[in-house]
Amino acid sequence: MVIGIPTEILPEERRVAAIPDMVRRYRQQGFDVIVQAGAGAGIFKTDQDYEEAGARIRPGAAEIFAEADIVLKVKEPVFNDELQKHEAALLKPGATLITFLHPAAPASLPMVEMLRDRNITAFTMDGIPRISRAQQMDALTSMSSITGYKSVLIAADHLPKFVPMVGTAIGTIRPSKFLVIGAGVVGLQAIATAKRLGGQVSVVDIREDARREAESVGAKVVGFDVPSDLAVGAGGYAQSLPVDWLEKERALIAPLVAQADAIILSALVPGERAPILVTEEMVGQMKPGSVIIDVSIDQGGNCAITEAGKVAYREGVCLCGVKNIPGQLPVDASWLYATNICNYVENLYKQGAGQPDFEDEIVRSTLVTRDGKIHHAGTLKAMGLA
């Protein structure tokens, strides 16, 4: 079987799904590997580096998609302007795709339907379950660590003021107020980074354990109590709140949003659309010059008016919907992701190349499309088909 590694084409995306060391591992597992020319340029790896690892170089994306039985990507398929074709349409019928699909996000649904209709077997790396056996494959956690760190730096770059308290000859400049909504891996890293920069940090999370962890890294907890059976789902992740409780959470958040200088939105429900926690009305109450970094945008976003993939301004408030924040730290991000996905492929084909184990718990959790059907529960829910 042939594994294909195309160049990522999202704007400013410099990551690659396989580094040369992982190519060697795929070869040892019995796969042939083809890599698009220049795919590793963003992490300073040359075509020669890949060839020395055992890969064959192909000149363009069309050749990769046409030849590969398994395509490994970092981000979801998008429209290829150069080829005037969607990447989902470039996959040969019956091929396998493994990447971050974020299949339940509204923007992803047409793409998932294309994969279904082309009989693509698609797996999403954001569906890895939180079990000990899957830790070495957990790309979402790997990328979340980078996202949390970088999101605060992006916020600091957009803020029109200092982050730390600064003393001057004519008085003291107060520190910027950061509000972190969602204290998972992204949120905890964001808290730690904002504290290191000297920001004043508050955090909201519906889970008691997450609030306790946030407090341990220096945040002021301003969350509200939700019964654990409503707040916590499988593996300790947050789960979707009933509508009445979601309204209560928005009511609590509203005054905190109005006071914040920078907000990091990272509240996610695994496999489902991100809950809308910051409404358009709340944004209108924010101070001009404030910043929202909506890192949950891959799953639809926590802010009602964030535009996916764009940085926009609404009444002086910066709304950042950049979709590939880890792509801004491509060297470390690619090493982490390439290792995670290689471990995933090894588990998927543990019975041998060409023999995927569809009974494996990890495989079942990540399966999106197969045999012309959509299997992903969160996607079916988003489509109203659950």
Side-chain angles (χ1 to χ4, degrees):
M1 295 189 75
V2 177
I3 288 177
I5 311 295
T7 300
E8 299 294 322
I9 58 175
L10 274 177
E12 299 183 27
E13 180 56 80
R14 297 168 59 195
R15 288 175 293 177
V16 63
I19 60 176
D21 284 348
M22 297 306 116
V23 169
R24 294 185 180 93
R25 280 183 57 180
Y26 290 128
R27 296 285 292 149
Q28 291 168 2
Q29 292 170 24
F31 296 100
D32 288 331
V33 182
I34 56 175
V35 176
Q36 184 176 342
I43 60 167
F44 313 105
K45 296 297 182 183
T46 66
D47 292 345
Q48 183 178 347
D49 292 330
Y50 282 97
E51 287 179 317
E52 290 175 353
R56 291 176 288 136
I57 303 300
R58 293 291 180 264
E63 292 82 0
I64 295 291
F65 284 100
E67 187 177 345
D69 301 301
I70 305 165
V71 172
L72 305 183
K73 279 178 51 59
V74 179
K75 296 300 292 181
E76 70 275 10
V78 294
F79 190 80
N80 187 311
D81 290 328
E82 181 182 348
L83 298 176
Q84 285 297 294
K85 220 171 183 182
H86 200 284
E87 287 181 310
L90 290 170
L91 288 155
K92 66 181 184 182
T96 294
L97 171 68
I98 307 172
T99 185
F100 273 114
L101 284 172
H102 307 291
S108 297
L109 299 182
M111 174 266 295
V112 171
E113 291 175 334
M114 289 177 66
L115 296 173
R116 175 199 64 194
D117 295 344
R118 290 184 60 79
N119 195 30
I120 303 300
T121 300
F123 300 95
T124 185
M125 290 299 290
D126 60 321
I128 303 291
R130 184 180 279 182
I131 58 176
S132 58
R133 186 168 64 88
Q135 287 181 350
Q136 296 299 311
M137 312 171 209
D138 191 357
L140 188 60
T141 293
S142 296
M143 297 303 100
S144 293
S145 297
I146 294 173
T147 298
Y149 165 77
K150 189 65 176 180
S151 65
V152 171
L153 300 187
I154 294 172
D157 190 46
H158 284 291
L159 277 172
K161 55 182 295 186
F162 283 111
V163 172
M165 181 173 66
V166 175
T168 76
I170 56 172
T172 300
I173 298 174
R174 294 182 178 179
S176 293
K177 295 180 179 179
F178 277 74
L179 174 64
V180 177
I181 301 180
V185 177
V186 173
L188 291 174
Q189 190 64 251
I191 292 166
T193 304
K195 290 294 291 184
R196 285 195 292 266
L197 289 180
Q200 190 178 92
V201 188
S202 299
V203 64
V204 173
D205 199 289
I206 62 175
R207 299 162 297 167
E208 183 179 357
D209 287 348
R211 294 197 297 270
R212 191 179 301 116
E213 288 187 52
E215 194 170 31
S216 73
V217 293
K220 177 183 177 183
V221 174
V222 289
F224 74 127
D225 291 328
V226 177
S228 60
D229 60 320
L230 295 179
V232 183
Y237 288 106
Q239 63 181 3
S240 297
L241 288 178
V243 174
D244 56 338
W245 279 96
L246 191 58
E247 289 295 338
K248 291 178 184 178
E249 185 175 12
R250 290 186 186 126
L252 168 91
I253 288 172
L256 304 174
V257 167
Q259 297 166 11
D261 296 302
I263 303 175
I264 309 297
L265 296 175
S266 62
L268 293 173
V269 176
E272 297 188 19
R273 192 200 190 289
I276 298 295
L277 300 176
V278 177
T279 64
E280 183 174 2
E281 182 181 0
M282 289 184 206
V283 174
Q285 298 299 314
M286 294 180 71
K287 296 173 289 188
S290 302
V291 178
I292 291 177
I293 311 295
D294 196 345
V295 301
S296 65
I297 195 64
D298 279 318
Q299 288 179 222
N302 292 141
C303 177
I305 57 174
T306 310
E307 296 182 66
K310 296 182 180 179
V311 177
Y313 289 83
R314 181 71 67 91
E315 298 180 10
V317 177
C318 177
L319 299 165
C320 178
V322 173
K323 288 172 65 71
N324 57 332
I325 289 176
Q328 299 183 25
L329 275 72
V331 172
D332 287 340
S334 292
W335 174 71
L336 287 165
Y337 182 75
T339 304
N340 291 146
I341 200 170
C342 186
N343 290 334
Y344 179 88
V345 170
E346 189 172 26
N347 178 70
L348 176 63
Y349 293 101
K350 56 182 172 288
Q351 297 171 347
Q355 301 179 63
D357 181 6
F358 289 107
E359 298 305 313
D360 183 274
E361 178 184 0
I362 298 168
V363 175
R364 291 200 310 270
S365 295
T366 54
L367 180 64
V368 178
T369 60
R370 181 191 177 203
D371 294 334
K373 296 179 181 179
I374 296 172
H375 297 265
H376 188 261
T379 306
L380 292 170
K381 179 180 178 180
M383 290 178 164
L385 301 174

Coordinates of all heavy atoms in Angstrom, one line a residue, residues 140-197:
L140 N -4.7 15.7 19.2 CA -5.5 16.9 19.7 C -4.8 17.5 20.9 O -4.7 18.7 21.0 CB -6.9 16.5 20.0 CG -7.9 17.7 20.4 CD1 -8.0 18.6 19.2 CD2 -9.3 17.1 20.7
T141 N -4.4 16.7 21.9 CA -3.7 17.2 23.0 C -2.3 17.8 22.6 O -2.0 18.9 23.1 CB -3.4 16.0 24.0 OG1 -4.7 15.6 24.6 CG2 -2.6 16.5 25.2
S142 N -1.6 17.2 21.7 CA -0.3 17.7 21.3 C -0.5 19.1 20.7 O 0.2 20.0 21.0 CB 0.3 16.8 20.2 OG 0.6 15.5 20.8
M143 N -1.5 19.2 19.8 CA -1.7 20.5 19.1 C -2.3 21.5 20.1 O -2.0 22.7 20.0 CB -2.6 20.3 17.9 CG -2.0 19.4 16.8 SD -0.4 20.0 16.2 CE 0.7 18.9 17.1
S144 N -3.1 21.1 21.1 CA -3.7 22.0 22.0 C -2.6 22.7 22.9 O -2.8 23.8 23.2 CB -4.7 21.2 22.9 OG -5.8 20.8 22.1
S145 N -1.6 22.0 23.2 CA -0.5 22.6 24.0 C 0.1 23.7 23.3 O 0.4 24.8 23.8 CB 0.6 21.5 24.3 OG 0.1 20.5 25.1
I146 N 0.3 23.5 22.0 CA 0.9 24.6 21.1 C -0.1 25.7 21.0 O 0.3 26.9 21.1 CB 1.3 24.0 19.8 CG1 2.5 23.0 19.9 CG2 1.7 25.1 18.8 CD1 2.9 22.3 18.7
T147 N -1.3 25.4 20.7 CA -2.4 26.4 20.5 C -2.6 27.3 21.7 O -2.7 28.5 21.6 CB -3.7 25.7 20.2 OG1 -3.6 25.0 19.0 CG2 -4.8 26.7 20.0
G148 N -2.6 26.7 22.9 CA -2.7 27.5 24.1 C -1.6 28.5 24.3 O -1.9 29.7 24.6
Y149 N -0.4 28.1 24.1 CA 0.8 29.0 24.2 C 0.7 30.1 23.1 O 0.8 31.3 23.4 CB 2.0 28.1 24.0 CG 3.3 28.9 23.7 CD1 4.0 29.5 24.8 CD2 3.8 28.9 22.4 CE1 5.1 30.2 24.5 CE2 5.0 29.6 22.2 CZ 5.7 30.3 23.2 OH 6.8 31.0 23.0
K150 N 0.5 29.7 21.9 CA 0.6 30.6 20.8 C -0.6 31.6 20.8 O -0.5 32.8 20.4 CB 0.7 29.9 19.4 CG 1.0 30.8 18.2 CD 2.3 31.4 18.3 CE 2.6 32.2 17.1 NZ 4.0 32.9 17.1
S151 N -1.8 31.1 21.2 CA -2.9 32.0 21.2 C -2.7 33.2 22.1 O -3.2 34.3 21.7 CB -4.2 31.2 21.7 OG -4.1 30.8 23.1
V152 N -2.0 33.1 23.2 CA -1.8 34.2 24.1 C -0.8 35.2 23.4 O -0.9 36.4 23.5 CB -1.3 33.7 25.5 CG1 -0.8 34.9 26.3 CG2 -2.4 33.0 26.2
L153 N 0.2 34.6 22.7 CA 1.1 35.5 22.0 C 0.4 36.3 20.9 O 0.8 37.5 20.7 CB 2.3 34.7 21.4 CG 3.1 33.9 22.4 CD1 4.3 33.2 21.7 CD2 3.6 34.7 23.6
I154 N -0.5 35.7 20.2 CA -1.3 36.3 19.2 C -2.1 37.5 19.8 O -2.2 38.6 19.3 CB -2.2 35.4 18.4 CG1 -1.3 34.4 17.6 CG2 -3.1 36.1 17.5 CD1 -2.1 33.2 17.0
A155 N -2.7 37.1 21.0 CA -3.5 38.2 21.7 C -2.7 39.3 22.1 O -3.0 40.5 21.9 CB -4.2 37.5 22.9
A156 N -1.5 39.1 22.6 CA -0.6 40.1 23.0 C -0.2 41.0 21.9 O 0.0 42.2 22.0 CB 0.6 39.5 23.7
D157 N 0.0 40.3 20.7 CA 0.4 41.1 19.5 C -0.7 42.0 19.0 O -0.4 43.1 18.5 CB 0.8 40.1 18.4 CG 1.5 40.7 17.2 OD1 2.4 41.5 17.4 OD2 1.1 40.4 16.1
H158 N -1.9 41.6 19.2 CA -3.0 42.5 18.7 C -3.5 43.5 19.8 O -4.1 44.5 19.4 CB -4.2 41.6 18.4 CG -4.1 40.9 17.1 ND1 -4.1 41.5 15.9 CD2 -3.9 39.6 16.8 CE1 -4.0 40.6 14.9 NE2 -3.9 39.4 15.4
L159 N -3.1 43.3 21.0 CA -3.5 44.2 22.1 C -2.8 45.6 21.9 O -1.6 45.6 21.6 CB -3.2 43.7 23.5 CG -4.2 42.7 24.1 CD1 -3.6 42.1 25.4 CD2 -5.5 43.4 24.4
P160 N -3.5 46.7 22.1 CA -2.9 48.0 21.9 C -2.3 48.5 23.2 O -2.2 49.7 23.5 CB -4.1 48.9 21.5 CG -5.3 48.3 22.2 CD -5.0 46.8 22.2
K161 N -2.0 47.6 24.1 CA -1.5 48.0 25.5 C -0.5 46.9 26.0 O -0.5 45.8 25.4 CB -2.6 48.2 26.4 CG -3.6 47.0 26.5 CD -4.7 47.2 27.5 CE -4.3 47.4 28.9 NZ -5.4 47.5 29.9
F162 N 0.2 47.2 27.1 CA 1.1 46.2 27.7 C 0.2 45.0 28.2 O -0.9 45.2 28.6 CB 1.8 46.8 28.9 CG 3.0 47.7 28.5 CD1 2.9 49.1 28.7 CD2 4.1 47.1 27.9 CE1 4.0 49.9 28.3 CE2 5.2 47.9 27.6 CZ 5.2 49.3 27.8
V163 N 0.9 43.9 28.3 CA 0.3 42.7 29.0 C 0.6 42.8 30.5 O -0.3 42.8 31.4 CB 0.7 41.4 28.5 CG1 0.2 40.2 29.4 CG2 0.2 41.2 27.1
P164 N 1.9 43.0 30.9 CA 2.2 43.1 32.4 C 2.0 44.5 32.9 O 1.8 45.4 32.2 CB 3.7 42.7 32.4 CG 4.2 43.3 31.1 CD 3.1 43.1 30.1
M165 N 2.0 44.5 34.2 CA 2.0 45.8 34.9 C 3.3 46.5 34.7 O 4.4 45.8 34.8 CB 1.7 45.6 36.4 CG 1.7 46.9 37.2 SD 1.2 46.7 39.0 CE 2.6 45.7 39.6
V166 N 3.3 47.8 34.3 CA 4.6 48.5 34.0 C 4.6 49.8 34.8 O 3.7 50.6 34.8 CB 4.7 48.8 32.5 CG1 5.9 49.6 32.2 CG2 4.7 47.5 31.7
G167 N 5.7 49.9 35.6 CA 5.9 51.2 36.3 C 6.6 52.2 35.5 O 7.5 51.9 34.8
T168 N 6.1 53.4 35.5 CA 6.7 54.5 34.8 C 6.9 55.7 35.7 O 6.4 55.7 36.8 CB 5.9 55.0 33.6 OG1 4.8 55.7 34.1 CG2 5.4 53.8 32.8
A169 N 7.6 56.7 35.2 CA 7.9 57.9 36.1 C 6.7 58.7 36.4 O 6.6 59.4 37.3 CB 8.9 58.8 35.3
I170 N 5.6 58.5 35.6 CA 4.4 59.2 35.8 C 3.2 58.4 36.3 O 2.1 58.8 36.4 CB 4.0 60.0 34.5 CG1 3.8 59.0 33.3 CG2 5.0 61.1 34.1 CD1 3.2 59.6 32.1
G171 N 3.5 57.1 36.6 CA 2.5 56.3 37.2 C 2.6 54.9 36.7 O 3.5 54.5 35.9
T172 N 1.7 54.0 37.2 CA 1.8 52.6 36.9 C 0.7 52.2 35.9 O -0.5 52.6 36.0 CB 1.5 51.8 38.2 OG1 2.6 52.1 39.1 CG2 1.6 50.3 37.9
I173 N 1.1 51.4 34.9 CA 0.2 50.9 33.9 C -0.3 49.6 34.4 O 0.5 48.7 34.7 CB 0.8 50.8 32.5 CG1 1.3 52.2 32.0 CG2 -0.1 50.1 31.5 CD1 2.1 52.1 30.7
R174 N -1.6 49.4 34.5 CA -2.2 48.2 35.0 C -2.0 47.0 34.0 O -2.0 47.2 32.8 CB -3.7 48.4 35.3 CG -3.9 49.4 36.5 CD -5.4 49.5 36.8 NE -5.6 50.4 37.9 CZ -6.8 50.7 38.3 NH1 -7.9 50.2 37.8 NH2 -7.0 51.5 39.4
P175 N -2.0 45.8 34.5 CA -1.8 44.6 33.6 C -3.1 44.4 32.8 O -4.2 44.8 33.3 CB -1.5 43.5 34.6 CG -2.1 43.9 35.9 CD -2.0 45.4 35.9
S176 N -2.9 43.8 31.7 CA -4.1 43.4 30.9 C -4.9 42.3 31.6 O -4.3 41.4 32.2 CB -3.7 43.0 29.5 OG -3.1 44.1 28.8
K177 N -6.2 42.3 31.4 CA -7.0 41.2 32.0 C -7.3 40.2 30.9 O -7.9 40.5 29.9 CB -8.3 41.8 32.5 CG -8.2 42.8 33.6 CD -9.5 43.4 34.1 CE -9.4 44.3 35.3 NZ -10.7 44.8 35.7
F178 N -6.9 39.0 31.2 CA -7.2 37.8 30.3 C -8.3 37.0 30.9 O -8.3 36.7 32.1 CB -5.9 37.0 30.1 CG -4.9 37.4 29.1 CD1 -4.2 38.5 29.4 CD2 -4.8 36.8 27.9 CE1 -3.2 39.0 28.4 CE2 -3.9 37.3 26.9 CZ -3.1 38.4 27.2
L179 N -9.2 36.6 30.0 CA -10.3 35.7 30.4 C -10.2 34.4 29.5 O -10.2 34.5 28.3 CB -11.7 36.3 30.2 CG -12.9 35.4 30.4 CD1 -13.0 34.9 31.8 CD2 -14.2 36.1 30.0
V180 N -10.0 33.3 30.2 CA -9.8 32.0 29.5 C -11.1 31.2 29.7 O -11.5 31.0 30.8 CB -8.6 31.2 29.9 CG1 -8.5 29.9 29.2 CG2 -7.3 32.0 29.7
I181 N -11.8 30.9 28.6 CA -13.0 30.1 28.7 C -12.8 28.7 28.2 O -12.6 28.5 27.0 CB -14.2 30.8 28.0 CG1 -14.4 32.2 28.5 CG2 -15.5 29.9 28.0 CD1 -15.6 33.0 27.8
G182 N -12.8 27.8 29.1 CA -12.4 26.4 28.8 C -11.0 26.1 29.3 O -10.0 26.6 28.8
A183 N -10.9 25.3 30.4 CA -9.7 25.0 31.0 C -9.2 23.6 30.7 O -8.7 22.8 31.6 CB -9.8 25.2 32.5
G184 N -9.3 23.2 29.4 CA -8.7 21.9 29.0 C -7.2 22.2 28.8 O -6.6 23.1 29.3
V185 N -6.6 21.4 27.9 CA -5.2 21.5 27.6 C -4.8 22.9 27.0 O -3.9 23.5 27.4 CB -4.7 20.4 26.6 CG1 -3.2 20.6 26.3 CG2 -4.9 19.0 27.2
V186 N -5.7 23.4 26.1 CA -5.5 24.7 25.5 C -5.5 25.8 26.6 O -4.7 26.6 26.7 CB -6.5 25.0 24.4 CG1 -6.4 26.5 24.0 CG2 -6.4 24.1 23.2
G187 N -6.6 25.7 27.4 CA -6.8 26.7 28.4 C -5.7 26.8 29.4 O -5.3 27.8 29.8
L188 N -5.3 25.6 29.9 CA -4.2 25.6 30.9 C -2.9 26.1 30.4 O -2.2 26.9 31.1 CB -4.0 24.1 31.4 CG -5.2 23.5 32.2 CD1 -4.9 22.1 32.5 CD2 -5.4 24.3 33.5
Q189 N -2.6 25.8 29.2 CA -1.4 26.4 28.6 C -1.5 27.9 28.4 O -0.6 28.6 28.5 CB -1.1 25.7 27.2 CG 0.3 26.0 26.7 CD 1.4 25.5 27.5 OE1 2.1 26.4 28.1 NE2 1.6 24.2 27.6
A190 N -2.7 28.3 28.0 CA -3.0 29.7 27.8 C -2.8 30.5 29.1 O -2.2 31.6 29.2 CB -4.3 30.0 27.2
I191 N -3.4 29.9 30.2 CA -3.2 30.5 31.5 C -1.8 30.7 31.9 O -1.3 31.7 32.3 CB -4.0 29.7 32.6 CG1 -5.5 29.7 32.3 CG2 -3.7 30.1 34.0 CD1 -6.3 28.6 33.1
A192 N -1.0 29.6 31.8 CA 0.4 29.6 32.2 C 1.2 30.6 31.4 O 2.0 31.3 31.9 CB 1.0 28.2 32.0
T193 N 0.9 30.7 30.1 CA 1.6 31.7 29.2 C 1.2 33.1 29.6 O 2.1 34.0 29.7 CB 1.3 31.4 27.7 OG1 1.6 30.0 27.4 CG2 2.1 32.3 26.8
A194 N -0.1 33.4 29.8 CA -0.5 34.7 30.1 C 0.0 35.2 31.5 O 0.4 36.3 31.6 CB -2.0 34.8 30.1
K195 N 0.1 34.2 32.4 CA 0.7 34.5 33.7 C 2.2 34.9 33.5 O 2.7 35.8 34.2 CB 0.5 33.3 34.7 CG -0.9 33.1 35.1 CD -1.4 34.2 36.0 CE -0.7 34.3 37.3 NZ -1.3 35.3 38.2
R196 N 2.9 34.1 32.7 CA 4.3 34.4 32.5 C 4.6 35.7 31.9 O 5.6 36.4 32.1 CB 5.0 33.3 31.6 CG 5.2 31.9 32.3 CD 6.1 31.0 31.5 NE 5.5 30.6 30.3 CZ 4.9 29.4 30.2 NH1 4.7 28.6 31.2 NH2 4.4 29.1 29.0
L197 N 3.6 36.2 31.0 CA 3.7 37.5 30.4 C 3.3 38.6 31.4 O 3.5 39.8 31.1 CB 2.9 37.6 29.2 CG 3.3 36.8 28.0 CD1 2.3 36.9 26.8 CD2 4.7 37.2 27.5

